[in-house]
Amino acid sequence: MAHAAPTSGGMPRRGPAPEVQAGTSPDQRRTPDILDARTHRLARIAIPVALALVYGYWVAADNRAGGPITGWNLLLGFVSALVFAVVCVALLTLAPRMIREAHALLWTAFVGIAFGWLYAQSDHSILRSILMSLLIAGATFVVFFYRYYTREDAFGRRIR
């Protein structure tokens, strides 16, 4: 169907002001939240646990290097997963309360240490593991600092 395009003159406009219709009012700037608060609380625990299980399996697989699965190998995987999950949940809780630089540094340290431990399990030298971990941590810091610098004020509060 064809509709007539509005013209610049003509009849006076009825209804709310154009800014309200265009979606620029303060209430309409945020994207709609389709999940309730309970789902967000569950996801705040479930996602780090799922990531930790993948991480623990990966650590155990790298450590055994294709060899047989042993009890010590399983223990290493579960302990790595437990530490990963606990630190990740702690960071999700504490890091948003920090200033943006500390926020980025905490996540950088977490990613660097987690990657370094994972990389060290695959029979590389400790010097190479440290170097690779520092490279990954440096890239992580650049990305996270940029993200927090553009989305938070100097006190760590989100800019809306």
Side-chain angles (χ1 to χ4, degrees), residues 55 83-84 87-88 91 95 100-118 130 132-142 144-145 148:
Y55 181 79
V83 169
F84 185 96
V87 173
C88 190
L91 278 176
R100 59 184 171 212
E101 293 85 3
H103 194 170
L105 278 174
L106 286 173
W107 280 108
T108 298
F110 175 68
V111 170
I113 292 168
F115 180 81
W117 176 249
L118 182 64
I130 291 170
M132 293 298 292
S133 178
L134 288 174
L135 286 173
I136 295 295
T140 302
F141 179 75
V142 168
F144 280 174
F145 183 77
Y148 298 137

Side-chain angles (χ1 to χ4, degrees), residues 3-134:
H3 296 282
T7 60
S8 60
M11 298 181 61
R13 173 173 231 137
R14 291 187 177 156
E19 346 19 284
V20 174
Q21 288 181 347
T24 58
S25 70
D27 296 333
Q28 294 179 355
R29 285 187 191 148
R30 291 184 39 178
T31 56
D33 191 8
I34 58 173
L35 302 175
D36 62 353
R38 180 176 170 261
T39 306
H40 283 281
R41 282 192 310 272
L42 288 174
R44 203 160 183 86
I45 299 295
I47 290 174
V49 168
L51 288 174
L53 289 174
V54 170
Y55 181 79
Y57 173 76
W58 200 349
V59 167
D62 277 355
N63 183 266
R64 70 182 178 94
I69 298 173
T70 63
W72 289 113
N73 187 254
L74 288 174
L75 181 65
L76 175 68
F78 282 120
V79 169
S80 297
L82 179 68
V83 169
F84 185 96
V86 167
V87 173
C88 190
V89 168
L91 278 176
L92 285 172
T93 304
L94 298 176
R97 298 176 185 162
M98 305 286 178
I99 60 172
R100 59 184 171 212
E101 293 85 3
H103 194 170
L105 278 174
L106 286 173
W107 280 108
T108 298
F110 175 68
V111 170
I113 292 168
F115 180 81
W117 176 249
L118 182 64
Y119 197 79
Q121 299 306 310
S122 58
D123 294 331
H124 291 288
S125 70
I126 192 69
L127 185 60
R128 183 170 176 179
S129 297
I130 291 170
L131 180 64
M132 293 298 292
S133 178
L134 288 174

